Amino acid sequence: MKVKSVFILVILSFVLVSCSLERKIAQSFVKDESVKPLLVFFPSQLYKTSLKNKELSTSDSLNSYTIDSALYAKSLYLQNIDDSVFMIKCKQSMLEELKARGFKIYEAHQLNEFMSLEDSSYVLNLSQLQIEEYLYTSTVENIIDEQYYFAGIDLNAVNLNSWFELKRNNVPQEKYPVLYSSYFIYDDLDGSFFRSNKDGKISYRYKIDSLEVKDIYNLAELAGKKYATNFYDYMLNIYVQDRLPSGKAPAFYYHYNRKSKALQIYYNDAFVEMDPAK
């Protein structure tokens, strides 16, 4: 038992030392106040997709070519969103947060100025933005008098999908995966189960606070800030990985909370890597 205990302590000590090294490297990135040039590209088009197939009645005789336009015409939100307003709100929010995190931003019209830096600064391309309108079924449940009750309520929802491409200036051989991000909002549901005084049956009574177009514009601003935060964190974790001993992988994914000025681990709102470069 003593041998086993000693072995566990050795392993635990090794893990703690490794974590301590990672955190020190992460802290050095956060404390680095040097200018971080970043060239950012934004898409010229906002893709809109309605997934509300239920909106098409069986009497709608449509071929696959006209289904998308028919769904768009029946959409509650897509046809009322001003693409320019949405994208400007997203872009401004993203750039403001990037600047707040120490990046010096260059845009497409400043390409020559960025290239003249002749360094290996990063280029971040928001290659595609897609809004999806769909129905989200919220399941509510409760146990009353030892009986299980549930109900499924369809809510209007909007999802924002984003794909980013990343590369470094003057380092063409360095490849990165596509970075994916997704955020959604839906109607606010407020309700509860109740027993009818008339027949004693249990049912779910509710009201819905419906989404409005202004909520979708707010989503654009929130997403823009999240994109900047996630990019900063991605750079932070690349920095950690590059400075660990050869062959050692990071034990954690770090997130830096700018407001509390604290490093956090187990962050579940990061970019998702897709199609890793071979």
Side-chain angles (χ1 to χ4, degrees):
M1 291 296 294
K2 290 185 177 180
V3 173
K4 184 177 181 180
S5 299
V6 171
F7 177 74
I8 292 175
L9 287 174
V10 170
I11 295 298
L12 181 59
S13 299
F14 177 77
V15 171
L16 291 175
V17 169
S18 299
C19 296
S20 176
L21 174 59
E22 287 185 23
R23 180 170 286 274
K24 286 181 179 179
I25 296 173
Q27 288 173 338
S28 68
F29 179 88
V30 171
K31 293 177 181 179
D32 183 7
E33 297 182 353
S34 61
V35 175
K36 302 180 182 69
L38 176 65
L39 176 61
V40 183
F41 290 104
F42 292 87
S44 58
Q45 181 178 359
L46 177 64
Y47 291 90
K48 299 176 180 178
T49 304
S50 175
L51 303 177
K52 291 181 174 178
N53 294 325
K54 294 180 181 179
E55 298 294 321
L56 299 180
S57 66
T58 55
S59 61
D60 289 332
S61 178
L62 301 174
N63 57 41
S64 59
Y65 182 78
T66 58
I67 286 178
D68 287 345
S69 59
L71 288 173
Y72 181 86
K74 290 177 178 288
S75 67
L76 293 176
Y77 308 106
L78 298 184
Q79 59 184 318
N80 295 312
I81 296 172
D82 185 306
D83 294 17
S84 296
V85 172
F86 185 93
M87 296 180 72
I88 287 173
K89 286 182 176 292
C90 182
K91 176 180 178 180
Q92 289 179 340
S93 177
M94 178 177 169
L95 294 186
E96 287 174 3
E97 183 64 21
L98 284 170
K99 291 174 183 177
R101 289 179 175 270
F103 291 98
K104 178 176 174 56
I105 303 301
Y106 294 83
E107 296 187 53
H109 65 279
Q110 299 170 299
L111 177 60
N112 292 335
E113 184 180 350
F114 178 81
M115 296 297 291
S116 68
L117 298 176
E118 296 184 351
D119 62 7
S120 58
S121 297
Y122 283 92
V123 179
L124 181 64
N125 177 27
L126 176 46
S127 59
Q128 185 171 320
L129 275 173
Q130 178 194 40
I131 293 181
E132 295 175 321
E133 181 177 328
Y134 63 104
L135 289 176
Y136 165 71
T137 301
S138 177
T139 301
V140 293
E141 54 189 357
N142 201 355
I143 296 178
I144 303 174
D145 296 335
E146 300 183 350
Q147 294 292 320
Y148 174 74
Y149 296 89
F150 75 96
I153 310 298
D154 282 343
L155 304 175
N156 288 300
V158 171
N159 186 54
L160 176 61
N161 299 310
S162 313
W163 292 265
F164 294 82
E165 297 172 345
L166 183 64
K167 63 180 181 179
R168 294 178 73 184
N169 187 29
N170 295 322
V171 193
Q173 72 277 9
E174 196 166 81
K175 304 297 182 182
Y176 292 90
V178 172
L179 303 175
Y180 172 74
S181 185
S182 180
Y183 296 101
F184 65 94
I185 53 175
Y186 48 84
D187 294 337
D188 186 31
L189 176 66
D190 183 20
S192 61
F193 288 94
F194 77 101
R195 186 187 302 277
S196 172
N197 292 328
K198 183 177 181 180
D199 56 17
K201 291 184 178 180
I202 301 293
S203 59
Y204 187 74
R205 178 183 293 168
Y206 65 93
K207 62 179 180 179
I208 293 176
D209 184 7
S210 300
L211 280 178
E212 299 180 17
V213 171
K214 66 178 182 180
D215 298 318
I216 300 174
Y217 289 144
N218 289 338
L219 173 64
E221 294 181 354
L222 173 63
K225 186 174 182 178
K226 290 284 190 178
Y227 297 155
T229 299
N230 290 347
F231 176 72
Y232 179 92
D233 289 344
Y234 196 75
M235 293 294 94
L236 164 62
N237 285 276
I238 286 178
Y239 183 90
V240 171
Q241 182 172 341
D242 288 347
R243 284 157 181 78
L244 287 175
S246 178
K248 176 175 173 51
F252 303 110
Y253 190 91
Y254 287 92
H255 163 65
Y256 180 65
N257 187 314
R258 183 169 64 85
K259 290 187 177 181
S260 65
K261 297 182 179 180
L263 278 170
Q264 301 172 353
I265 58 176
Y266 299 123
Y267 186 59
N268 60 1
D269 195 19
F271 281 139
V272 175
E273 293 185 336
M274 302 178 64
D275 300 325
K278 297 180 180 181

